[in-house]
Amino acid sequence: GVRPDMWSPIAVLEELEHEGIALPGNRTDVSVRTPELLPQYWFFDRELAGMVLSNALHNALTHATRSVVLELRLHDGQLGFCIADDGGAFPDELVAPAVRPFERGEINGNALGIYFARLVAATHTHSGRHGWVELSNRSDGPGTRFALWLP
């Protein structure tokens, strides 16, 4: 089950930054962006969100050519943990908001990670709203953006 508690979004992002920088052989620039006004605390399951974000970070580092950007965003009362890279692209079937159930043998590492991320996001609820995952391919060049939105 989900065990939400009060956590600092900045602390979570800083841990991801240190993880990205500390990986052996990593030659990718990892930077952090945050809005000027950001809540000091947010209620979410730190362990589940951390697993999702760590997986997204590792995927971004695998496909990045030079840089990965970790970012916090606020939109419509939700907090977004965003991870963007400058290489590769998501397949269309993963970017679609409502993915059909996968058939046996169809799930590869990326699809399974996205499935798990969407499950974790959906289990975070507040005032009738659910978390969600946003996947997008950059329009200004190669690269992807993963966002975990939590109510």
Side-chain angles (χ1 to χ4, degrees):
V2 177
R3 294 188 176 99
D5 204 347
M6 190 168 58
W7 297 99
S8 165
I10 295 287
V12 172
L13 213 62
E14 287 173 347
E15 287 176 25
L16 284 172
E17 178 186 27
H18 292 296
E19 182 178 345
I21 292 170
L23 289 173
N26 183 24
R27 301 190 196 302
T28 306
D29 177 48
V30 178
S31 61
V32 174
R33 294 183 192 155
T34 60
E36 283 187 33
L37 296 174
L38 183 70
Q40 289 185 355
Y41 297 98
W42 202 266
F43 282 89
F44 60 97
D45 186 314
R46 171 72 178 87
E47 187 174 336
L48 290 176
M51 285 189 293
V52 165
L53 294 169
S54 182
N55 183 51
L57 172 63
H58 285 257
N59 283 334
L61 289 169
T62 299
H63 297 288
T65 56
R66 290 186 310 260
S67 67
V68 169
V69 177
L70 307 174
E71 184 176 14
L72 290 174
R73 291 184 176 185
L74 291 171
H75 177 70
D76 196 26
Q78 295 205 4
L79 173 69
F81 289 92
C82 306
I83 301 173
D85 65 61
D86 64 350
F90 287 124
D92 290 338
E93 61 270 13
L94 286 181
V95 175
V99 174
R100 67 172 174 71
F102 291 103
E103 299 294 326
R104 184 178 180 151
E106 255 189 329
I107 296 182
N108 62 26
N110 286 337
L112 185 57
I114 298 304
Y115 174 80
F116 177 69
R118 287 180 170 151
L119 182 63
V120 167
T123 60
H124 283 81
T125 61
H126 178 69
S127 299
R129 299 176 75 189
H130 296 273
W132 56 289
V133 169
E134 177 184 20
L135 303 173
S136 58
N137 292 317
R138 290 176 49 178
S139 59
D140 61 343
T144 62
R145 186 172 158 271
F146 169 94
L148 174 65
W149 290 94
L150 302 175

